[in-house]
Amino acid sequence: KNLFLNEKLTLGELADECKVSVHQLSEYLNRYESKNFAYFINKERIKYFLNLMETQKKTNVTTAALQSGFNSLSVFNSWFKKIKGTSPKKYISDNLTFKH
């Protein structure tokens, strides 16, 4: 299930889906993934976004970002830069096979 596509997903909802307590999920993310909930979820959203950009040739950045679970383009841009170290436009230009 791509629960991360829900822009309002909470730690509690994810914990319920995984059938663990909020504390257990938070501890797992911090200890084994070395990430907090927000970073973990937004990293999954960025992966999904990049897949959309690679596979759907007519998709633009804004549409793909919103389809990936981000609730605004500014939030998307901020997380993209934090996770990938560059802007979405530069990353797409430098890394994707199909250039938009």
Side-chain angles (χ1 to χ4, degrees), residues 26-41:
S26 183
E27 182 178 359
Y28 171 82
L29 291 173
N30 288 310
R31 182 177 293 177
Y32 298 105
E33 299 290 333
S34 299
K35 306 289 183 252
N36 65 25
F37 172 73
Y39 192 98
F40 177 77
I41 291 301

Side-chain angles (χ1 to χ4, degrees), residues 4-99:
F4 59 86
L5 296 178
N6 174 358
E7 66 186 44
K8 295 179 182 178
L9 181 67
T10 66
L11 180 63
E13 291 169 337
L14 184 57
D16 287 346
E17 188 67 31
C18 295
K19 299 183 183 0
V20 298
S21 72
V22 170
H23 175 75
Q24 288 171 312
L25 180 57
S26 183
E27 182 178 359
Y28 171 82
L29 291 173
N30 288 310
R31 182 177 293 177
Y32 298 105
E33 299 290 333
S34 299
K35 306 289 183 252
N36 65 25
F37 172 73
Y39 192 98
F40 177 77
I41 291 301
N42 288 309
K43 185 176 176 186
E44 293 303 310
R45 289 173 175 160
I46 296 294
K47 282 195 250 180
Y48 189 85
F49 163 83
L50 291 172
N51 184 57
L52 286 177
M53 294 302 293
E54 187 79 51
T55 61
Q56 296 183 9
K57 293 176 174 58
K58 293 184 180 183
T59 298
N60 66 44
V61 170
T62 302
T63 300
L66 296 175
Q67 288 177 341
S68 300
F70 291 97
N71 60 9
S72 74
L73 195 54
S74 62
V75 170
F76 164 75
N77 284 322
S78 174
W79 276 104
F80 196 97
K81 186 157 186 154
K82 188 179 293 187
I83 290 169
K84 292 297 186 182
T86 190
S87 71
K89 184 177 180 178
K90 175 111 174 83
Y91 187 91
I92 290 165
S93 173
D94 292 349
N95 295 285
L96 295 189
T97 306
F98 176 79
K99 312 277 195 244

